[in-house]
Amino acid sequence: PADVLHEEKRYPLEEFSSLVRNERIVVFDTETTGLDTSQDDVVQIAAVEIVRGEKGREFEVHLKTGRSLEETERIHNISARFLEEHGVDPKEGLRAFAEFVAGDRLVAHNLSFDREMLLAAIERSGVDDAGLKSLAKGECFDTLDLTRRLHPKHLSYTLEDLLADFSVPGENTHNALDDVRATANLVLRLLPEMEERAAGLRERCDNDPGLRKLRDKLSGFWVSCLRRL
């Protein structure tokens, strides 16, 4: 129903596949000291650009932190010693990431966690996030959500399982650079299917009287609800 009621007939699969084919998107991932946005820090940011359907440049930065890594080092293998030697000041790292993104649309797998952690880091550091306007406005895409739209009865939507189930190159190692490479590969693997599904949905919505009636009656209410979020 949300696809049918989307503002100006902007169906998410259609919008996303068009962006991938014709523009630039940035797939990103983070590693952190924990799960609490109010206290934990981002210690690694990685990203891969997809420009007109082709993978391009990569970005990676490690950020210094005063938080303990005792609990999370066993997951992402980032130690306090490594950050002391290779990490940069959070403000410097976030600014570099913003420059890489350059205001383009962002994509992540299980987006909500990475988005909230980055927004909290940006607020704490005081960095100008002009280059991250899509992050601040929530104009991002979640490959977990997109895959659910394509395969609503799939048993698992973890990145590791999706890579295996769809024979996508890459590994889900919980190193942000490995994970964004794998997520970018997942995007490109599913792109033709997204385009086919989006075309079918548009044709159905434009020609089905019941769906047109639903959209005419409820789309204004739906959009007003979204704007309050």
Side-chain angles (χ1 to χ4, degrees), residues 4-5 205 208-219:
V4 177
L5 299 176
C205 289
D208 187 311
L211 290 178
R212 287 206 308 270
K213 184 177 180 179
L214 178 68
R215 185 170 59 205
D216 291 343
K217 284 183 174 292
L218 295 178
S219 61

Side-chain angles (χ1 to χ4, degrees), residues 32-42 67 113 116-121 123-124:
T32 69
T33 62
L35 304 177
D36 187 342
T37 56
S38 67
Q39 298 186 49
D40 285 303
D41 290 333
V42 174
R67 302 285 300 175
F113 173 75
E116 293 307 313
M117 290 300 299
L118 271 180
L119 287 174
E123 183 177 356
R124 282 197 296 269

Side-chain angles (χ1 to χ4, degrees), residues 13 16 20 25 27-28 50 106-112 140-150 157-159 162 166 179-180 182-188 190 194:
L13 288 177
F16 181 72
V20 176
I25 64 168
V27 183
F28 80 100
I50 298 178
L106 285 158
V107 184
H109 195 76
N110 196 17
L111 168 72
S112 59
C140 309
F141 291 92
D142 189 342
T143 50
L144 189 153
D145 171 69
L146 294 167
T147 309
R148 278 180 173 154
R149 291 173 183 273
L150 291 173
Y157 297 95
T158 66
L159 181 57
L162 293 176
F166 295 115
D179 291 356
V180 291
T183 304
N185 288 339
L186 178 66
V187 167
L188 297 177
L190 296 178
M194 290 184 197

Side-chain angles (χ1 to χ4, degrees), residues 109-226:
H109 195 76
N110 196 17
L111 168 72
S112 59
F113 173 75
D114 297 290
R115 179 176 181 272
E116 293 307 313
M117 290 300 299
L118 271 180
L119 287 174
I122 288 168
E123 183 177 356
R124 282 197 296 269
S125 70
V127 70
D128 179 5
D129 65 349
L132 299 175
K133 60 183 180 182
S134 61
L135 184 72
K137 293 180 179 179
E139 297 173 347
C140 309
F141 291 92
D142 189 342
T143 50
L144 189 153
D145 171 69
L146 294 167
T147 309
R148 278 180 173 154
R149 291 173 183 273
L150 291 173
H151 299 277
K153 297 182 180 180
H154 209 69
L155 294 178
S156 171
Y157 297 95
T158 66
L159 181 57
E160 181 178 14
D161 287 341
L162 293 176
L163 296 177
D165 294 344
F166 295 115
S167 301
V168 177
E171 293 182 279
N172 179 203
T173 64
H174 299 290
N175 174 284
L177 188 56
D178 287 340
D179 291 356
V180 291
R181 287 169 174 165
T183 304
N185 288 339
L186 178 66
V187 167
L188 297 177
R189 162 66 176 78
L190 296 178
L191 180 59
E193 189 176 354
M194 290 184 197
E195 292 172 321
E196 181 180 355
R197 183 69 59 85
L201 178 63
R202 173 166 287 282
E203 181 179 359
R204 183 179 177 189
C205 289
D206 288 347
N207 296 302
D208 187 311
L211 290 178
R212 287 206 308 270
K213 184 177 180 179
L214 178 68
R215 185 170 59 205
D216 291 343
K217 284 183 174 292
L218 295 178
S219 61
F221 171 72
W222 174 252
V223 171
S224 69
C225 290
L226 290 178

Side-chain angles (χ1 to χ4, degrees), residues 62-73:
H62 290 87
L63 311 180
K64 291 183 177 179
T65 178
R67 302 285 300 175
S68 171
L69 290 159
E70 184 177 350
E71 292 298 319
T72 54
E73 181 181 349

